Amino acid sequence: MRAILILLLTFSISLYSREVVVNVKKEVILHSVPRIGLNVSGRVPKMWHSWVLINCYNNNPGMEGIIHRFMVEVSKGGSDWFEEVKWAKYPNFRKELPDGYWNGCRYVVMYGNSYGRKGIIKSYKYVGNKKSKDSFKAVFKVKEHGKPFKNGDRILLIKDYMPCICGWTLELGKGVERKDVEIYPDNTDCAPVNGGKQCIKIVLKKDGVAALRQWIAIEPQSKKSKRRFWKRFDPEKEYVLSAWLKGSKGCKGILSLSKWKDIKEGKWNEDTTLMVNLEEKWKKYEIKWRGDPFPSRKGFRSIYVGIKGKGWIKIDNVVLYEADEKPFQIRKEIIDELKRMKPGCLRFWGATWDEGFENFLAHPLERQCKRHREFIRNYSLPNLSQSLKLCKEVGAVPWLIIGPSFTPEEWDSLLEFLNGPKESKYGRLRALLGHPSPWTDEFEKIYLELGNETWNWMFSPWVLQPPEVCAEFGNKIFKRVKSSKYYSRKIKLIINGWAVSGRWNGKVDNLCDYHDMIDITSYIGVKEIMNKNLEEKEIFKRILSFPYRKIRVRIEELKRVIEKNGKGTEIAIYESGPSYPLPGPGKPFDERVEYFMKSVAASIATLDSYLIAMENGVKTINFFSFNVGPNWATHTIENHKLKPYIIFTLFSFFNNNIAGKNLVKCEILNNHFYEVKIERGKKSKYFKKYKIPAVACYPLEDKNTYSIILINRSIDEKVE
């Protein structure tokens, strides 16, 4: 036996040292330690940070409308009607949907007595509750008679397309009032290339200026500013703003990147503004520039596209992108960072909520926006083909979240796209998108997860509570998947677990018969750590001890439940890492939390939690998330380039030097223990005491050559 690498991870701030003796055994706990994976976030610049994953800086570039999908839980019903009466966290959203909103839409019963029934909604009426602001009643009538709707049925409502101006705001020049302008979606005449389902038409009834505007979160700021994570124009890069336009002869089309509200003052930035004579046929226009065209000016940068003069204009496919790469490609900088880390898995969010298969597959310029409760989701996430191609390029296994908004037939289409021959409908489409052979030939596995945290009411209406509903919903979908002629054993089906609920995990795993894996989180909890009365030393002690105190207990509990059920279900970790308070416009992030959760201590604790999971047989672990900015992120921006936080650098080292070796047993003969006291509640005077082993040891073997990872969980002493 010989050791070629001893990796000591320590956050000790003491000069006192203690010697430990480790007895390494030959018994293998886990063959071929897995590479750490990542959740992939793909939003374009937004309110509290920016992340340009795809080479497109603006939202809804195709000027598309909305698809709307919603899940209703039936309280009572009959052969041609049903009601939903329940508590609602978002009652105002229901009030925003007028009577008749769902008239003519499709419905599919996804769970319950009338499972499999489908048809058309005849009428919809919202009825408020005068006695309670937190409840509502909605009454639906359908065109068909059939198996009665009953209490507990889950019905998927689908609006395939709604004309809408999404992500763009109408701005008027000096002297022009709103009554002087007509603006509406036009679905009869779109751009000739990737025109999608609609363009936007503006009719200006008097001489003046009217334009659509979208602000971009790009602004020069100091390093101490809360906007320091925002994207900035790189002085070494060339940028392109392009659009397809047509309109009245004699009028001018405007395409501009200017400061917000410049239109009100009647001025435009000359270097980034194009005014053209409109033609009555579609034509593509573009303007180029290098770096920030107005670096000394503060304020949001905005895209303007509109008309000058009395007449009309049609607008489609407005895109701001970097000139050195094609628009909508995954940016080379992103690919290079992923290749450097070599993630084992990439978990994609593109079909998590409110999505359908065709829209998930659509070209970015043809992809419809999605309505989620009272919000409109119009940011760019990789589509299905982009996600799979990225995994192929960086050597990662794809993990696709497929929400409860997919119909059973759409699951069939997804399987055909992944594993169908090129002669099939979606096999031909896959070939046209550049991949003739089945995607199952490309990867050793493809993970398909039914929804994200379907136990979490925050993601209503896509909640499958109680666990009996989650399990049976999974049975319906997964049985169909495994019965498909396009199913492959390489496709692994994942049902949602709940890290803090052993009851949920036990019931779901026991009642669901067709899943391969159950997943949980393993976050380093922020609530008990961020007590403002604690000294810095005590907070770091809590961070370093958290994996042993909490994560170890949860994973071991789930492992016992899985073994008791005897189904051979594999455990996966879908999200993990340091956790943060949920951000908001008033407080995008907490500087104090950033200090502790981006520290070396938090990085060491995260890796410790992963190795604890691997000791318990977990082979798939994903960090949340591959992103830029504060909170859940791997990188910041420095001098216009991505700069990794220490945690990403640690993962890169692990994946390149440790993964693939066998994890073996060991025994620490003279380990030291220290005490951590945690409050039993926010205002409690009582504490729970934990005895924490100061040293964790993880030996790894590869062809009789050993590497040893030593983690010092104590900040009071060094380890030799």
Side-chain angles (χ1 to χ4, degrees), residues 33 109 132 216 224 256 271 294 608:
V33 165
V109 182
S132 172
I216 308 295
K224 294 183 179 180
S256 177
D271 295 334
F294 25 79
D608 192 13

Side-chain angles (χ1 to χ4, degrees), residues 324-514:
D324 57 352
E325 298 180 52
K326 292 181 180 179
F328 306 112
Q329 285 191 339
I330 306 291
R331 296 174 60 243
K332 184 178 182 299
E333 183 181 26
I334 304 299
I335 294 172
D336 290 344
E337 283 296 286
L338 289 172
K339 284 182 175 179
R340 186 164 73 88
M341 180 196 165
K342 296 183 180 178
C345 175
L346 292 178
R347 184 173 182 252
F348 292 96
W349 289 67
T352 306
W353 300 294
D354 321 294
E355 186 64 286
F357 175 72
E358 295 290 345
N359 202 48
F360 186 30
L361 195 55
H363 186 280
L365 284 171
E366 299 175 348
R367 203 166 177 189
Q368 306 296 303
C369 303
K370 296 174 288 184
R371 181 161 193 166
H372 181 69
R373 295 200 295 259
E374 66 269 44
F375 307 108
I376 305 296
R377 296 181 180 272
N378 56 20
Y379 48 75
S380 297
L381 287 164
N383 65 20
L384 176 56
S385 184
Q386 288 173 315
S387 301
L388 295 167
K389 287 178 180 178
L390 178 60
C391 286
K392 177 183 176 181
E393 186 157 3
V394 303
V397 171
W399 177 321
L400 305 174
I401 308 171
I402 307 298
S405 56
F406 266 45
T407 66
E409 292 76 16
E410 287 176 320
W411 278 87
D412 295 342
S413 301
L414 172 62
L415 291 173
E416 185 179 328
F417 183 83
L418 294 175
N419 195 38
K422 62 181 179 181
E423 295 78 21
S424 66
K425 176 183 176 181
Y426 288 106
R428 285 194 298 272
L429 181 55
R430 183 188 63 233
L432 288 173
L433 293 171
H435 203 275
S437 61
W439 280 109
T440 48
D441 292 349
E442 199 68 56
F443 303 109
E444 58 177 291
K445 296 176 185 176
I446 296 177
Y447 298 121
L448 300 181
E449 180 185 13
L450 178 57
N452 175 73
E453 296 186 2
T454 47
W455 45 265
N456 192 340
W457 288 105
M458 186 173 73
F459 301 130
S460 174
W462 310 113
V463 177
L464 303 177
Q465 284 264 33
E468 291 83 357
V469 172
C470 179
E472 184 56 26
F473 199 102
N475 277 333
K476 299 291 188 186
I477 295 296
F478 292 163
K479 182 179 180 181
R480 186 180 182 110
V481 168
K482 291 192 173 182
S483 301
S484 170
K485 64 180 179 180
Y486 299 122
Y487 170 70
S488 165
R489 290 184 181 274
K490 288 186 175 183
I491 295 173
K492 302 300 179 182
L493 304 176
I494 304 173
I495 197 82
N496 289 160
W498 192 351
V500 297
S501 176
R503 174 181 173 273
W504 172 281
N505 297 329
K507 281 202 169 185
V508 167
D509 182 60
N510 186 45
L511 296 174
C512 192
D513 297 319
Y514 298 94

Side-chain angles (χ1 to χ4, degrees), residues 595-610:
Y595 172 76
F596 287 105
M597 290 309 196
K598 295 291 194 303
S599 67
V600 173
S603 302
I604 292 172
T606 300
L607 184 59
D608 192 13
S609 72
Y610 292 173

Side-chain angles (χ1 to χ4, degrees), residues 17-151:
S17 64
R18 176 183 292 269
E19 182 179 270
V20 295
V21 178
V22 179
N23 180 14
V24 178
K25 301 181 179 181
K26 290 187 176 182
E27 183 181 349
V28 175
I29 302 174
L30 181 66
H31 289 277
S32 189
V33 165
R35 287 178 286 149
I36 298 164
L38 296 167
N39 282 261
V40 178
S41 176
R43 302 184 181 191
V44 298
K46 59 174 187 171
M47 188 170 293
W48 37 79
H49 69 274
S50 64
W51 180 237
V52 184
L53 176 68
I54 297 171
N55 190 19
C56 173
Y57 280 66
N58 57 298
N59 290 313
N60 193 17
M63 319 300 284
E64 293 301 318
I66 295 174
I67 61 170
H68 192 184
R69 297 193 173 202
F70 200 84
M71 187 81 78
V72 169
E73 182 179 350
V74 174
S75 56
K76 62 180 179 178
S79 65
D80 65 343
W81 66 277
F82 59 89
E83 286 184 0
E84 182 184 25
V85 182
K86 63 185 292 188
W87 170 86
K89 188 175 182 180
Y90 303 95
N92 291 332
F93 162 64
R94 298 304 188 116
K95 294 176 183 177
E96 290 173 5
L97 302 182
D99 290 349
Y101 177 84
W102 292 108
N103 291 6
C105 84
R106 295 189 291 137
Y107 74 86
V108 180
V109 182
M110 301 292 288
Y111 167 87
N113 181 71
S114 54
Y115 171 75
R117 187 175 170 181
K118 61 183 71 173
I120 304 296
I121 298 294
K122 182 179 179 181
S123 67
Y124 160 79
K125 184 175 179 61
Y126 172 85
V127 182
N129 189 335
K130 295 181 180 179
K131 295 181 180 180
S132 172
K133 295 181 180 180
D134 294 328
S135 65
F136 65 88
K137 180 168 78 172
V139 182
F140 297 81
K141 292 185 179 180
V142 302
K143 289 187 175 182
E144 310 82 9
H145 287 268
K147 196 171 184 179
F149 301 105
K150 288 190 175 181
N151 179 49

Side-chain angles (χ1 to χ4, degrees), residues 7-13 524 536 539-545 547 577-578 580 592-609 623 644-651 710-715:
L7 176 62
L8 174 61
L9 300 177
T10 181
F11 191 67
S12 174
I13 56 177
I524 308 297
E536 180 177 295
I539 292 176
F540 281 127
K541 187 183 290 187
R542 291 187 176 197
I543 290 173
L544 288 165
S545 65
Y580 299 83
R592 186 167 181 268
V593 176
E594 289 294 308
Y595 172 76
F596 287 105
M597 290 309 196
K598 295 291 194 303
S599 67
V600 173
S603 302
I604 292 172
T606 300
L607 184 59
D608 192 13
S609 72
F623 177 79
Y645 293 122
I646 183 66
I647 199 164
F648 186 83
T649 302
L650 182 59
F651 292 165
L710 286 175
I711 293 180
N712 182 13
R713 297 186 181 123
S714 171
I715 64 171

